[in-house]
């Protein structure tokens, strides 16, 4: 049995065409089903639904053999584990694309604050990425860890800036925030448990190959 860990929403939806390329169809809809383990049209493949942040944990510890996770999630997971996540990452799937950016309130002069060498208060869920970005720029920051709704932080005075994912930019716009820096482009990757790859080499290799053939341009 091959167990694939996916999160509901965009990653699940955008992984379906890749599964189709491997001849696999998920036979239940995660949005309406209450099941956490979904069967597929292949008796030896099942999907487990986990939180996006839990995908690397499931795969690293063998709760799943393979998984799909955003680069954002993978960098933070490695950061939380001393830089070593133990995951084999054979493919950038080029799905669930967005960018990691710095955003501030429209009336906050970010450039001036950076130039003056002021300490900047930055709220984010992505502390590893943010710490590294500002350290590389030589900017002193106080990082404030949040678990959601980062956009609220500059509006309430909790922080001067946020580091968050942006795709259309509509969420920033709706909250009077402006993107002042792009840190990196983000897409989702295939992650594989190293022991599972050794034990189950042929079927997992075949799955990786099929996924590779269907990566969107
Ligand atoms: O939502 P939940 O708390 O359950 O979990 P999650 O946010 O970790 O998962 P999910 O499914 O929302 O995101 C899974 C992965 O999709 C992320 O790890 C990213 O790699 C990728 N991805 C791609 C995104 C976005 N685009 C995205 N736009 N993840 C989140 N967003 C959010 C962003 O945080 C912001 O709040 O969408 C909002 C901005 O969108 P725009 O279009 O208004 O700019
Ligand atoms: Mg989300």
């Amino acid at each position: 049995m091959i167990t694939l860990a996916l999160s509901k929403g965009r990653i699940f939806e955008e992984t379906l065409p890749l599964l189709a390329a491997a001849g696999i169809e998920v036979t239940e809809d995660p949005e309406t089903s209450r099941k956490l383990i979904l069967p597929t049209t292949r008796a030896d493949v099942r999907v487990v639904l986990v939180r996006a942040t839990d995908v690397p944990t499931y795969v690293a510890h063998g709760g799943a053999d393979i998984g799909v996770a955003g680069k954002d999630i993978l960098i933070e997971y490695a950061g939380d584990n001393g830089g070593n996540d133990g995951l084999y990452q054979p493919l950038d799937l080029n799905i669930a694309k967005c960018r990691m950016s710095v955003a501030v309130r429209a009336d906050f002069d970010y450039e001036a604050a950076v130039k003056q060498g002021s300490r900047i208060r930055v709220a984010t869920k992505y502390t590893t990425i943010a710490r590294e970005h500002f350290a590389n720029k030589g900017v002193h920051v106080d990082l404030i860890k949040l678990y959601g709704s980062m956009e609220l932080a500059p509006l309430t005075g909790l922080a001067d800036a946020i580091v968050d994912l942006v795709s259309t930019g509509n969420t920033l716009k709706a909250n009077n925030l402006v993107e002042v820096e792009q840190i990196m482009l983000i897409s989702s990757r295939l992650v594989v448990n190293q022991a599972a790859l050794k034990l189950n080499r042929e079927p997992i290799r075949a799955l990786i190959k099929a996924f590779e053939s269907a990566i969107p341009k």
Side-chain angles (χ1 to χ4, degrees):
M1 176 67 77
I2 299 176
T3 301
L4 166 66
L6 296 176
S7 54
K8 277 203 233 182
R10 71 190 101 217
I11 288 188
F12 183 85
E13 296 301 327
E14 295 186 38
T15 300
L16 291 181
L18 300 170
L19 284 169
I24 300 166
E25 246 179 89
V26 184
T27 45
E28 228 161 308
D29 177 0
E31 298 305 328
T32 52
S33 173
R34 288 178 188 279
K35 286 189 187 163
L36 296 173
I37 301 181
L38 305 180
T40 74
T41 48
R42 249 179 62 183
D44 66 331
V45 178
R46 62 179 186 173
V47 170
V48 292
L49 297 173
V50 302
R51 284 295 292 264
T53 44
D54 291 336
V55 168
T57 309
Y58 267 83
V59 175
H61 295 278
D65 302 302
I66 59 178
V68 176
K71 185 179 174 189
D72 49 315
I73 302 282
L74 293 170
I75 294 174
E76 295 301 322
Y77 180 76
D80 291 345
N81 289 279
N84 181 18
D85 59 18
L87 294 165
Y88 172 48
Q89 297 186 27
L91 294 178
D92 180 347
L93 300 173
N94 205 29
I95 60 167
K97 288 164 75 173
C98 56
R99 54 196 186 266
M100 188 68 75
S101 294
V102 181
V104 299
R105 248 167 59 173
D107 60 4
F108 180 79
D109 193 341
Y110 177 71
E111 285 307 318
V114 167
K115 251 193 213 135
Q116 286 160 21
S118 328
R119 264 195 113 75
I120 300 174
R121 294 169 306 151
V122 178
T124 189
K125 185 162 121 180
Y126 308 99
T127 49
T128 295
I129 293 171
R131 186 176 296 112
E132 166 132 1
H133 173 68
F134 291 107
N136 287 339
K137 277 174 67 84
V139 172
H140 293 288
V141 292
D142 291 318
L143 289 180
I144 302 165
K145 169 91 183 188
L146 288 179
Y147 292 89
S149 301
M150 267 85 84
E151 298 86 4
L152 197 54
L155 305 179
T156 54
L158 178 69
D160 304 309
I162 60 172
V163 167
D164 195 7
L165 296 171
V166 181
S167 47
T168 61
N170 290 339
T171 305
L172 292 181
K173 206 172 291 168
N175 290 292
N176 268 310
L177 300 174
V178 290
E179 196 176 356
V180 288
E181 228 161 42
Q182 290 187 15
I183 300 176
M184 63 177 77
L185 295 176
I186 299 284
S187 55
S188 285
R189 275 121 212 272
L190 190 67
V191 292
V192 181
N193 176 283
Q194 317 240 27
L197 183 61
K198 279 188 195 131
L199 272 157
N200 227 345
R201 192 160 189 95
E202 281 325 307
I204 292 179
R205 280 271 161 226
L207 206 54
I208 295 172
K209 258 201 144 157
F211 271 41
E212 189 170 19
S213 74
I215 293 173
K217 291 283 169 270

